[in-house]
Amino acid sequence: DADVTQTPRNRITKTGKRIMLECSQTKGHDRMYWYRQDPGLGLRLIYYSFDVKDINKGEISDGYSVSRQAQAKFSLSLESAIPNQTALYFCATSDRTSGRDNNEQFFGPGTRLTVL
Amino acid sequence: AQSVTQLGSHVSVSEGALVLLRCNYSSSVPPYLFWYVQYPNQGLQLLLKYTSAATLVKGINGFEAEFKKSETSFHLTKPSAHMSDAAEYFCAVSRMDSSYKLIFGSGTRLLVRP
């Protein structure tokens, strides 16, 4: 079984709809991240969380919100989806016991979101 | 502020040829550097990382990278390309603060010709 799972894998929605992307992990990691990937732009950080009570904005958090329901679950919401939020979204995890020099992040398979 | 630049959004090589993917970083302090690979329809997988130990870092699948402080570079190489190496490759630098965030380059898509 995959250590980091994302649901759904693909989603097509319409402008103005509320969308939730879910991420679950069985790695026991405390840190979780949400990124979006756009062609030619690499990955950009939306939100990150170090534990259930510690949630932080990344570089492109406008239009998004998150919820850390448990150590293993981190959800990303688009309150009112717009077409320029069409992208590939990745969840990632890392382990607090690793220092900054070992900040290897483990990625889920991604969710491809299309907003019409 | 730290940043990462990957030169060449697409690189095409013949099977068996040398692979060279370029990454330059900007950092006021010694960075920690990573290369990730993304195969089609998959998430990112760590290839290798530099954490201030040996400057020549060996990773999985025959890839290696050399940290050159004077050139602020961390280029990824493989002596002989295989068809299965076709993927997108991302260079990343770890933020030198308590955020533990990674800053990614824009990616390089490697095409391998038969």
Side-chain angles (χ1 to χ4, degrees):
Chain A
D1 289 339
D3 293 326
V4 184
T5 58
Q6 293 183 234
T7 56
R9 292 294 312 276
N10 289 281
R11 181 71 184 269
I12 299 174
T13 190
K14 295 182 178 180
T15 298
K17 294 292 187 181
R18 184 178 187 274
I19 294 296
M20 179 181 285
L21 309 183
E22 298 186 339
C23 176
S24 295
Q25 53 114 346
T26 58
K27 301 187 74 66
H29 289 173
D30 54 321
R31 301 186 214 140
M32 298 187 74
Y33 309 79
W34 274 105
Y35 293 90
R36 67 176 279 175
Q37 182 183 11
D38 299 277
L41 296 179
L43 276 75
R44 293 180 292 167
L45 185 63
I46 306 172
Y47 270 95
Y48 62 103
S49 170
F50 287 171
D51 63 40
V52 174
K53 297 181 179 180
D54 184 359
I55 294 177
N56 305 276
K57 292 182 177 181
E59 56 183 310
I60 55 164
S61 59
D62 288 348
Y64 301 95
S65 63
V66 291
S67 173
R68 186 84 182 264
Q69 301 95 323
Q71 186 189 39
K73 296 184 181 296
F74 193 35
S75 300
L76 175 71
S77 293
L78 287 67
E79 297 301 325
S80 179
I82 56 177
N84 76 2
Q85 291 178 313
T86 293
L88 188 55
Y89 290 84
F90 287 104
C91 175
T93 72
S94 67
D95 185 2
R96 179 196 310 183
T97 59
S98 63
R100 187 165 44 248
D101 62 343
N102 193 29
N103 188 28
E104 177 182 355
Q105 295 185 13
F106 296 82
F107 286 80
T111 294
R112 186 169 297 280
L113 177 66
T114 302
V115 183
L116 302 177
Chain B
Q2 292 165 298
S3 65
V4 174
T5 301
Q6 291 184 242
L7 297 177
S9 59
H10 291 79
V11 170
S12 180
V13 300
S14 298
E15 192 173 18
L18 171 71
V19 176
L20 171 60
L21 304 182
R22 300 177 185 274
C23 173
N24 288 88
Y25 67 90
S26 170
S27 177
S28 58
V29 296
Y32 299 128
L33 294 158
F34 304 78
W35 274 101
Y36 281 85
V37 60
Q38 182 183 24
Y39 297 105
N41 300 314
Q42 295 185 25
L44 279 71
Q45 176 184 358
L46 183 70
L47 268 180
L48 50 79
K49 59 188 176 187
Y50 167 75
T51 60
S52 75
T55 57
L56 182 62
V57 181
K58 294 188 182 299
I60 62 172
N61 301 335
F63 283 93
E64 62 182 36
E66 185 172 9
F67 173 71
K68 292 187 176 181
K69 183 178 178 181
S70 61
E71 299 177 6
T72 61
S73 69
F74 190 55
H75 301 332
L76 182 70
T77 60
K78 181 174 181 178
S80 177
H82 192 274
M83 296 297 291
S84 61
D85 294 327
E88 189 155 21
Y89 293 80
F90 293 93
C91 183
V93 61
S94 183
R95 281 278 297 267
M96 302 307 291
D97 58 26
S98 61
S99 71
Y100 295 90
K101 292 188 285 187
L102 291 179
I103 299 170
F104 286 86
S106 56
T108 298
R109 185 167 298 279
L110 176 66
L111 307 172
V112 182
R113 305 185 302 270

